[in-house]
Amino acid sequence: RVDTAAAIGISVLCTAGAILWLARWPSQRQSALFAIGGNVCVTISCLIAGSPVTGLLACTTFAPLAGYVALFHSSRLLTATLANAGLTTVWSAVRIAADGDIALAAGHFVAVAVAVLAVPFAAQVLLHLMTVDALMSHTDPLTGLRNRRGYDRSAAQLIATAGGGMVPQCLA
């Protein structure tokens, strides 16, 4: 059967990806290909699921994938991931509704949509907070003055500007 062959193919690809990931951290391009491949594999898995409810619940797998894309990739790839997740989730909910259980389809659709949207949103908020915290790490919170890290950075910038780009080794 095609379903079985697709499931075996997805399993083999996921295993190969995990082994490659364990060997070394992927490049940006390899990571983007992983995200695209993950989108394809999750979509196929949801569409070939034995029952429509299983397919819809499998759409929650888009949540960690979207979170990963939100942290490490462009908003364009995140938009594509969320659009793919949305279309797959709608299709899975329509399959349940076609079986006659519209309330189950609507309830599960909302739950899956919230999960899939909440994870990348939370990842973006976390990234923003970490960026703000990193920027604030150069200032003492009590006095508002530069701390040692902020002083060294400011001094290096001033010396580089005044000295034609040369930064002393101790400040670099």
Side-chain angles (χ1 to χ4, degrees):
R1 285 180 25 140
V2 173
D3 305 11
T4 305
I8 291 170
I10 289 169
S11 298
V12 168
L13 285 173
C14 289
T15 303
I19 291 169
L20 288 173
W21 209 289
L22 287 172
R24 65 180 177 84
W25 193 254
S27 67
Q28 185 71 16
R29 179 181 172 98
Q30 290 168 334
S31 180
L33 289 174
F34 166 78
I36 293 167
N39 268 294
V40 171
C41 290
V42 171
T43 301
I44 291 171
S45 297
C46 293
L47 298 179
I48 66 170
S51 72
V53 174
T54 305
L56 183 58
L57 292 177
C59 289
T60 58
T61 310
F62 282 112
L65 180 62
Y68 172 79
V69 171
L71 284 175
F72 297 110
H73 292 286
S74 68
S75 57
R76 197 171 86 197
L77 185 55
L78 178 60
T79 302
T81 299
L82 292 176
N84 182 43
L87 291 172
T88 305
T89 304
V90 166
W91 178 255
S92 298
V94 167
R95 285 178 56 204
I96 294 172
D99 283 351
D101 201 344
I102 295 173
L104 179 69
H108 278 51
F109 172 78
V110 169
V112 169
V114 166
V116 169
L117 292 173
V119 171
F121 177 74
Q124 288 288 321
V125 169
L126 177 65
L127 189 62
H128 174 73
L129 291 173
M130 289 172 53
T131 302
V132 169
D133 191 42
L135 291 173
M136 296 300 294
S137 71
H138 298 294
T139 306
D140 180 80
L142 182 62
T143 65
L145 299 173
R146 298 261 182 218
N147 58 19
R148 182 180 177 133
R149 183 182 304 128
Y151 170 79
D152 288 347
R153 181 177 217 160
S154 295
Q157 288 174 346
L158 284 171
I159 292 169
T161 304
M166 302 278 299
V167 179
Q169 188 67 19
C170 65
L171 295 176

